[in-house]
């Protein structure tokens, strides 16, 4: 009979820099799920992992144990391939909203479990909830049935999905152990692999408005995600994308929803569509719906041009209780009391649009949350944002500020004025999509 694994012994193994066995990792994850490890023991273990690191085998074992700490969706009854996409989060990143129906329109089911905005990044669920009546809290059974019926569901994390991650993430948040590649990888993949997709694509962002500020750290995370997913039997690719300026021209929940509807109608901003097509191409290649990137791109463009992607989006909104009339008549979405232009005092070239300043302006207006329990204002945010490199005349609108309060408007104006720099010289833009990994 094997001897019981005492938390203090397992912690000491990692503290001394050795690799943990699968059983030791499982005992820690079980302890996080059933409460048999105290918070101080879990916190000590997280710090030991943070300082000593984990091998790829340990990261696989951690991901697997966290995934199995709750329900793993059974989508075996859904016919055909299933793909999902994950973004590490950015400013103005509304890609999931229109990419999911585009992929579903190409014959690939999309079972997507998304998050809410926290801190400076927005969340897909908050954007969807700007559609009156839209329900994101389906049960796992309702979710599986909807994916089977219409090939698409976009919901929030259920309490049964990877509960160990919920516990460990809350502890990481207050113990300075968030920024660690094996822990981030296990956290992301334990949730994504539990939702039942056959293949995964990740958008790993780097830059001023991203979770990871530098490219090298983002690349390391992307490589770890792809390796761990593959070792667990799920083909995956990751793209590295720049997040120094916001994606698209809107930041804020209903405003981003409107921009996503524009994308589905073929009127999306160039940068947003570039990221959308690159992610979509990899999803169609991994599911073997397309043989080449050119073929994949043509299918995605056709899904927009022939209205199939917009039709899928309508089906999803209807299935999840949303007011489908808001898609054609966006005045049915929440709108702010004031829409005020921020005007450029000078002509020239836009030198930079700092994603973090725009995110803070949106947060100040009430579009995001500082704490998980905060409520968001779906109406407020920023639209008509200029893009880095654009030439503008005197008096040009740099952005429209949508506000529901005077103090919030003044604060957002100050943040945007500091974050959008206009100067003399033309600006050379670095590539938006830096690399495809996997
Ligand atoms: N997103 C997650 O889900 N987990 C992390 O650890 C970091 C980002």
């Amino acid at each position: 009979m094997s001897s019981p694994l005492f938390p203090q012994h397992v912690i000491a193994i990692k503290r001394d820099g050795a690799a943990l066995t699968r059983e030791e990792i499982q005992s820690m994850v079980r302890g996080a799920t059933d409460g048999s490890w105290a918070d101080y023991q879990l916190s000590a273990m997280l710090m030991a992992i943070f300082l000593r690191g984990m091998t790829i085998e340990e990261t696989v074992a951690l991901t697997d144990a966290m995934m199995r700490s709750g329900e793993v969706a059974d989508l075996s009854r859904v016919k055909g391939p299933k793909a999902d996409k994950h973004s590490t989060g950015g400013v103005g990143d509304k890609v999931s909203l229109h990419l999911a129906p585009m992929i579903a329109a190409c014959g690939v089911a999309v079972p997507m479990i998304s998050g809410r905005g926290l801190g400076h990044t927005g969340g897909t669920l908050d954007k969807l909830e700007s559609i009156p009546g839209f329900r994101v809290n389906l049960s796992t059974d309702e979710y599986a049935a909807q994916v089977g019926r219409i090939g698409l569901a976009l919901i929030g994390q259920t309490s049964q999905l990877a509960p160990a991650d919920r516990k460990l993430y809350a502890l990481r948040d207050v113990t300075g152990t968030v920024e660690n590649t094996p822990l981030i990888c296990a956290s992301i993949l334990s949730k994504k692999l539990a939702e039942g997709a056959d293949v995964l694509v990740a958008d790993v962002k780097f830059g001023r408005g991203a979770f990871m500020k530098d490219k090298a750290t983002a690349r390391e995370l992307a490589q770890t995600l792809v390796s761990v997913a593959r070792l667990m039997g799920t083909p995956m690719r990751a793209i590295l994308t720049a997040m120094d300026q916001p994606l698209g021209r809107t930041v804020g929940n209903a405003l981003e929803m409107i921009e996503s509807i524009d994308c589905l109608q073929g009127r999306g901003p160039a940068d947003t569509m570039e990221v959308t097509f690159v992610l979509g191409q990899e999803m169609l290649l991994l599911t073997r719906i397309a043989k080449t990137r050119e073929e994949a791109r043509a299918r995605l463009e056709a899904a927009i041009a022939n209205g199939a992607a917009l039709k899928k989006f309508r089906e999803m909104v209807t299935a999840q209780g949303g007011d489908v009339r808001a898609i054609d008549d966006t005045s049915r979405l929440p709108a702010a009391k004031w829409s005020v232009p921020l005007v450029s005092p000078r002509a020239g070239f836009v030198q930079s649009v700092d994603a973090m300043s725009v995110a803070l302006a949106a947060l100040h207006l009430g579009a995001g949350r500082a704490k998980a329990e905060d409520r968001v204002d779906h109406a407020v945010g920023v639209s008509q944002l200029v893009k880095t490199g654009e030439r503008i005349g005197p008096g040009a609108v740099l952005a429209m500020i949508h506000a529901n309060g005077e103090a919030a408007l003044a604060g957002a104006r100050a943040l945007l004025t500091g974050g959008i720099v206009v100067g003399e010289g033309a600006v050379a833009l670095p590539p938006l999509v830096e690399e495809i990994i996997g």
Side-chain angles (χ1 to χ4, degrees):
M1 214 174 85
S2 61
S3 54
L5 292 170
F6 291 109
Q8 56 271 42
H9 294 157
V10 182
I11 296 165
I13 294 169
K14 185 46 72 186
R15 178 201 64 198
D16 295 341
L20 298 168
T21 64
R22 189 170 273 270
E23 290 68 33
E24 287 158 352
I25 289 171
Q26 284 167 345
S27 79
M28 190 262 287
V29 173
R30 210 177 312 117
T33 314
D34 66 14
S36 58
W37 278 44
D39 284 3
Y40 49 79
Q41 292 170 318
L42 292 168
S43 303
M45 179 56 120
L46 289 168
M47 186 55 83
I49 293 172
F50 187 94
L51 295 173
R52 293 298 197 166
M54 275 188 147
T55 64
I56 200 83
E57 291 76 20
E58 288 177 287
T59 311
V60 170
L62 179 63
T63 307
D64 187 63
M66 285 169 62
M67 176 186 84
R68 291 179 201 284
S69 68
E71 269 181 5
V72 178
D74 179 9
L75 298 184
S76 56
R77 287 214 292 255
V78 178
K79 291 192 190 66
K82 299 172 279 292
D84 189 18
K85 164 255 173 183
H86 175 78
S87 163
T88 57
V91 182
D93 182 2
K94 69 274 298 166
V95 168
S96 293
L97 300 172
H98 51 272
L99 176 61
M102 285 167 64
I103 296 294
C106 292
V108 176
V110 184
M112 190 180 275
I113 297 181
S114 291
R116 295 193 180 277
L118 188 60
H120 77 278
T121 60
T124 299
L125 301 182
D126 297 318
K127 295 168 200 176
L128 281 168
E129 281 179 342
S130 67
I131 300 177
F134 195 96
R135 281 177 60 216
V136 298
N137 56 345
L138 306 191
S139 69
T140 315
D141 287 345
E142 284 178 297
Y143 156 78
Q146 185 177 311
V147 175
R149 205 168 62 250
I150 65 168
L152 175 66
L154 247 160
I155 67 163
Q157 189 179 350
T158 65
S159 57
Q160 299 92 351
L161 189 103
D165 176 62
R166 205 183 293 270
K167 176 75 189 177
L168 293 173
Y169 193 86
L171 290 175
R172 285 168 59 207
D173 207 19
V174 292
T175 56
T177 51
V178 169
E179 301 88 350
N180 173 265
T181 299
L183 293 176
I184 297 173
C185 171
S187 170
I188 291 173
L189 285 184
S190 61
K191 290 172 288 200
K192 281 283 149 186
L193 295 173
E195 63 180 24
D198 306 322
V199 307
L200 287 176
V201 171
D203 180 2
V204 179
K205 297 194 174 293
F206 64 91
R208 289 198 294 270
F211 186 55
M212 275 147 298
K213 303 297 172 207
D214 69 284
K215 207 186 301 179
T217 320
R219 183 178 291 118
E220 186 195 39
L221 175 63
Q223 282 164 343
T224 308
L225 286 169
V226 168
S227 303
V228 170
R230 288 187 171 182
L231 286 166
M232 291 180 68
T234 301
M236 180 168 189
R237 285 192 191 142
I239 67 166
L240 284 188
T241 61
M243 180 33 78
D244 286 325
Q245 63 170 330
L247 198 61
R249 294 184 184 273
T250 60
V251 178
N253 299 297
L255 296 164
E256 290 189 52
M257 193 68 247
I258 294 170
E259 195 165 57
S260 255
I261 294 169
D262 283 347
C263 293
L264 288 168
Q265 293 174 329
R267 300 193 303 255
D271 63 342
T272 311
M273 292 317 295
E274 184 184 346
V275 174
T276 305
F277 283 127
V278 174
L279 287 163
Q281 284 162 16
E282 299 312 309
M283 290 167 91
L284 296 188
L285 285 174
L286 281 177
T287 49
R288 298 180 202 280
I289 287 288
K291 291 195 179 60
T292 62
R293 293 209 163 94
E294 293 69 31
E295 185 194 341
R297 170 83 181 228
R299 279 179 175 260
L300 293 162
E301 284 177 350
I304 293 177
N306 65 24
L310 189 62
K311 182 162 171 275
K312 271 289 159 215
F313 185 67
R314 275 186 222 282
E315 285 175 33
M316 179 183 74
V317 171
T318 306
Q320 293 185 226
D323 181 356
V324 79
R325 295 170 301 177
I327 298 172
D328 299 307
D329 176 7
T330 53
S331 69
R332 288 180 177 272
L333 295 173
K337 217 179 320 170
W338 293 300
S339 295
V340 181
L342 176 72
V343 172
S344 175
R346 57 176 297 185
F349 290 90
V350 179
Q351 305 291 307
S352 60
V353 181
D354 177 40
M356 193 52 102
S357 304
V358 180
L360 293 176
L363 203 56
H364 204 77
L365 290 164
R369 42 173 87 68
K371 300 190 297 299
E373 55 279 14
D374 290 348
R375 287 175 67 86
V376 300
D377 184 342
H378 291 107
V380 297
V382 180
S383 68
Q384 294 181 38
L385 262 174
V386 285
K387 306 294 301 181
T388 305
E390 280 177 355
R391 178 180 214 147
I392 56 168
V397 173
L398 298 174
M400 288 294 285
I401 308 172
H402 304 260
N404 273 331
E406 279 177 57
L409 175 61
R413 180 189 287 280
L415 283 158
L416 291 170
T417 302
I420 304 176
V421 179
V422 179
E424 294 274 302
V427 178
L429 275 183
L432 176 58
V433 177
E434 183 76 26
E435 199 174 322
I436 299 177
I437 289 169

